Amino acid sequence: MKLKKINFFALFLFGFLFNLNAANDISLLDNSKKSGVSIYWDSLSETGMLEKNDHHLSFRSGEGLVILDGVKMMITDAPELKNNQILVSKKFIDDSEEFFSQKSELPFKVGAILIDAGHGGKDPGALKTYKVNGKNVTIREKDITLRVAKMLGEKLRSAYPQKQIILTRDTDVFLSLGERTDIANSVKVGENEAVLFISVHVNSSLNKTSSGYEVWYLSPGYRRTVLDQSAVGDDKSLFPILNSMLEEEYTTESIMIAKFIMDGLQGQIGKESVARGIKAEEWFVVKNSNMPSVLIELGFVSNEKEALLLNDDKYLKKATLGIYNGIAAFITHFERSQGFTSLR
């Protein structure tokens, strides 16, 4: 998703700071229930979104700048988080309702999905050799991730022929982490289209009993540049503000992708393995991708029982279907409301 280039007056920053002192005495959650507005909130970054009539308004606690439909800006009174409630002023409510009453513009959609099969070529990733039917079988991370990536790509292409489905590798070749993120960041999509980055990996541990699958997203504590300087025109002082807001929107969307994929994996794998949950980390391949992105750990090759499952095509098909279902659920959600965790 891209922000259109916008020219601002110097008055912008004055208005932005002034609005921090607004009197907030309205519960945004209570008001949203009354007015039919869907509200989504990420407690980690203290950012949220309001959605109504195919419009969405992104905001952050303590700031008077809001993003409208991902492409426009508006100054209003800054919301605040107090006693676990999001409080806003009457002006914030009035400005929001005026925006929601406008005719919808171009719809938002996912334009491309990039699937990254971890490791490859000279880099086998995690590996372990086990005795299977009297023969030594070496189970390698690079082989598992490639099989899943190719199956996932096939399913997505079949379901979404109008979207770009891209694999960083579809053969056993080596790609550096930098090459992988360069591929991701070079994907071209249309206006109001987003790119999703899904990296597939397999785990290993010194503890042979460790097992289960997990989904990682970029830690909110990590800061990166996701916005082109040209988006703010001549006023460079606005760049850190707008970059921070767009970055946090990416993080929130990544959390939503992680949640949907985790739900999808649980639905397909059931009790055959353990759901280890959604976690945050600053993985290189994720933190250098300027888009919503997650990293999936399918299981532990260091655990013999799980390694044999990961070497089984039937099991990998279940895992792949789980990931696919999660991505499909996110696409439906994103193209309706731009992600975000629902408070309803």
Side-chain angles (χ1 to χ4, degrees):
M1 207 179 343
K2 299 177 288 185
L3 293 175
K4 291 180 179 177
K5 183 174 179 179
I6 302 173
N7 292 319
F8 293 87
F9 295 100
L11 181 62
F12 176 90
L13 285 181
F14 173 78
F16 174 74
L17 294 172
F18 177 80
N19 284 327
L20 291 177
N21 298 318
N24 295 320
D25 53 9
I26 301 173
S27 166
L28 185 58
L29 180 59
D30 290 344
N31 185 82
S32 297
K33 289 179 179 178
K34 294 177 183 177
S35 58
V37 174
S38 296
I39 178 170
Y40 306 89
W41 177 251
D42 172 28
S43 59
L44 294 174
S45 61
E46 295 189 357
T47 59
M49 189 205 70
L50 303 178
E51 188 269 334
K52 184 178 180 181
N53 297 335
D54 296 322
H55 286 296
H56 75 279
L57 181 156
S58 301
F59 65 92
R60 180 165 62 184
S61 175
E63 293 187 1
L65 170 67
V66 297
I67 300 178
L68 309 176
D69 288 337
V71 295
K72 297 180 181 179
M73 311 295 165
M74 180 176 71
I75 293 295
T76 186
D77 290 345
E80 66 176 316
L81 186 63
K82 188 174 182 180
N83 298 326
N84 292 322
Q85 286 193 79
I86 307 168
L87 300 178
V88 297
S89 68
K90 185 177 185 301
K91 174 176 170 52
F92 182 95
I93 297 296
D94 291 343
D95 288 345
S96 301
E97 284 299 330
E98 182 179 354
F99 165 62
F100 291 137
S101 68
Q102 298 174 7
K103 184 178 179 180
S104 296
E105 297 183 2
L106 292 175
F108 285 86
K109 63 179 181 179
V110 173
I113 304 168
L114 188 67
I115 306 165
D116 176 48
H119 307 276
K122 66 181 181 180
D123 175 17
L127 73 165
K128 191 76 174 178
T129 301
Y130 296 100
K131 189 80 72 175
V132 180
N133 297 325
K135 297 181 179 179
N136 287 330
V137 176
T138 300
I139 301 171
R140 300 177 180 85
E141 179 176 6
K142 69 172 184 176
D143 300 327
I144 296 168
T145 60
L146 182 58
R147 286 153 70 187
V148 170
K150 291 173 73 172
M151 286 191 290
L152 181 59
E154 185 178 343
K155 284 184 173 294
L156 289 169
R157 288 190 187 101
S158 176
Y160 302 103
Q162 75 282 14
K163 301 184 188 299
Q164 298 181 64
I165 309 299
I166 304 166
L167 273 62
T168 55
R169 68 181 183 96
D170 57 10
T171 58
D172 184 20
V173 296
F174 173 78
L175 292 174
S176 69
L177 295 178
E179 288 175 315
R180 296 170 192 271
T181 51
D182 285 346
I183 293 171
N185 293 329
S186 67
V187 176
K188 304 298 183 184
V189 291
E191 189 175 346
N192 292 357
E193 290 187 341
V195 181
L196 308 184
F197 184 86
I198 312 294
S199 189
V200 183
H201 287 257
V202 171
N203 232 328
S204 184
S205 173
L206 293 176
N207 183 352
K208 295 181 179 181
T209 64
S210 294
S211 66
Y213 50 91
E214 53 201 24
V215 187
W216 296 77
Y217 65 93
L218 183 64
S219 168
Y222 178 80
R223 288 293 170 252
R224 56 184 172 164
T225 299
V226 297
L227 179 64
D228 192 301
Q229 287 274 0
S230 64
V232 298
D234 297 328
D235 194 343
K236 303 305 181 185
S237 62
L238 294 178
F239 180 79
I241 299 171
L242 301 183
N243 183 75
S244 178
M245 292 193 73
L246 185 59
E247 176 193 31
E248 288 174 354
E249 187 163 334
Y250 284 165
T251 298
T252 307
E253 289 162 359
S254 298
I255 293 170
M256 288 302 298
I257 298 171
K259 178 183 182 300
F260 281 121
I261 290 177
M262 176 56 66
D263 289 346
L265 287 169
Q266 285 182 280
Q268 291 300 315
I269 292 175
K271 296 181 179 179
E272 289 187 77
S273 186
V274 180
R276 294 168 62 91
I278 300 168
K279 303 180 181 182
E281 186 54 88
E282 295 172 12
W283 298 110
F284 181 94
V285 74
V286 172
K287 76 181 183 182
N288 287 286
S289 303
N290 296 336
M291 61 199 65
S293 42
V294 296
L295 185 148
I296 304 165
E297 295 278 8
L298 289 171
F300 287 77
V301 294
S302 49
N303 180 307
E304 183 173 2
K305 179 182 177 182
E306 191 153 84
L308 296 179
L309 283 176
L310 293 170
N311 197 48
D312 183 349
D313 277 339
K314 290 183 179 180
Y315 183 82
L316 289 187
K317 286 179 181 178
K318 291 181 183 179
T320 300
L321 181 57
I323 297 170
Y324 165 80
N325 287 342
I327 294 172
F330 174 80
I331 290 173
T332 299
H333 186 89
F334 178 86
E335 293 183 348
R336 177 182 62 83
S337 64
Q338 303 300 293
F340 287 86
T341 304
S342 175
L343 291 180
R344 284 165 135 21

